[in-house]
Amino acid sequence: MYQQNMNLTLTEEDYLKTIYHLTDEGSTEGISTNDIARKIDISAASVSDMIKKLAHKGLISYVRYQGVNLTDLGKRKAMHIIRKHRLWETFLVEKLHFTWDEVHEIAEELEHIESPVLIKRLDEFLGFPQFDPHGDPIPNEKGEIVDIKRISLSVAPTGETFKVVAVEENSPQFLKYLNKIKISLGTHVKVLDKIDYDESVEIELGGKNLMISKEVSENLYVAIL
């Protein structure tokens, strides 16, 4: 269970979430203050000050030149924030009919509401969803997430048909682009060819052939049918 009696500022919560996401992106070592500064677009000096505060609260461990790691408590708190964010995104899309490119910023505000009863009832109301509108897993009340096998479309083998299950990039600009080319979660795509010159990918989508860039293919996660 999460420890709910520790009061954190909105900024402290944002830092924990950022460190978690940076770790989740594949770093096997500690996260550097420069990595954090780039991620949230703030000075490294400001990051260093916050790192000291989070370490004092037992939420992170920090060793100079070795970087930052979440403690078990810090990871639980980060997962709790992420759980709230993804539940709110799901609510906004499923119940209030926002589009998937409209909900991130709103959920960024709603995730800071600290009411365990509200979040528990929200989860129940939504039917205990396992994934949010962008395909990201929603931690359950214990902080557990569903692990699914998925790969980037950029490395998917040619000749196979896949289902889009998640997006790495969730900026409104990228999601609006996907709307324009009619790709959403659940869309079936067949990989036809990969172009050596610029690593773009030719896919079959809805009976039509479409060329997508390397950047787009890297930000689409798919599962084999």
Side-chain angles (χ1 to χ4, degrees), residues 28-225:
T28 58
E29 300 178 354
I31 305 300
S32 74
T33 54
N34 287 332
D35 287 339
I36 299 170
R38 282 191 293 269
K39 188 78 170 179
I40 59 181
D41 194 22
I42 199 169
S43 71
S46 296
V47 172
S48 296
D49 290 340
M50 179 57 70
I51 292 307
K52 293 176 183 176
K53 294 178 182 178
L54 295 175
H56 180 71
K57 291 187 176 183
L59 296 165
I60 65 162
S61 61
Y62 173 69
V63 178
R64 195 174 184 182
Y65 305 124
Q66 294 183 25
V68 174
N69 288 288
L70 292 171
T71 62
D72 288 343
L73 174 60
K75 184 176 180 180
R76 290 197 300 271
K77 296 296 289 188
M79 293 289 279
H80 181 49
I81 299 161
I82 291 166
R83 166 176 162 80
K84 290 187 290 181
H85 182 99
R86 294 175 179 174
L87 282 172
W88 282 120
E89 284 193 335
T90 304
F91 173 77
L92 291 167
V93 169
E94 291 189 1
K95 304 302 179 182
L96 298 187
H97 309 298
F98 283 83
T99 57
W100 68 341
D101 57 281
E102 297 176 318
V103 296
H104 180 72
E105 293 301 324
I106 303 173
E108 284 281 294
E109 298 182 28
L110 292 171
E111 71 185 27
H112 297 295
I113 298 174
E114 191 52 69
S115 172
V117 174
L118 172 62
I119 298 306
K120 184 174 182 177
R121 292 188 180 182
L122 178 63
D123 195 15
E124 292 174 351
F125 177 67
L126 294 170
F128 305 103
Q130 294 182 319
F131 300 95
D132 74 7
H134 306 116
D136 292 316
I138 301 174
N140 65 18
E141 197 171 8
K142 295 180 180 179
E144 301 164 337
I145 59 174
V146 176
D147 185 24
I148 62 169
K149 292 183 179 179
R150 63 186 191 183
I151 59 173
S152 167
L153 185 62
S154 63
V155 298
T158 57
E160 299 282 352
T161 301
F162 300 89
K163 179 173 72 172
V164 177
V165 294
V167 292
E168 173 68 22
E169 171 67 55
N170 61 7
S171 68
Q173 294 82 0
F174 179 65
L175 297 176
K176 286 177 181 177
Y177 171 74
L178 294 184
N179 289 340
K180 184 175 181 179
I181 63 175
K182 302 187 184 308
I183 289 181
S184 59
L185 300 191
T187 298
H188 291 184
V189 297
K190 184 177 182 179
V191 179
L192 299 176
D193 195 13
K194 296 183 179 179
I195 310 304
D196 291 335
Y197 174 68
D198 60 0
E199 299 182 66
S200 57
V201 180
E202 184 180 9
I203 61 172
E204 182 181 312
L205 176 66
K208 298 181 180 179
N209 292 6
L210 176 69
M211 194 71 71
I212 61 174
S213 70
K214 174 187 176 184
E215 183 176 2
V216 170
S217 68
E218 287 177 338
N219 280 289
L220 287 172
Y221 285 114
V222 296
I224 194 165
L225 293 175

Side-chain angles (χ1 to χ4, degrees), residues 3-9 12-13 57 59 77 114:
Q3 181 175 333
Q4 302 289 353
N5 58 358
M6 177 183 290
N7 293 323
L8 298 177
T9 67
E12 288 172 336
E13 291 190 345
K57 291 187 176 183
L59 296 165
K77 296 296 289 188
E114 191 52 69

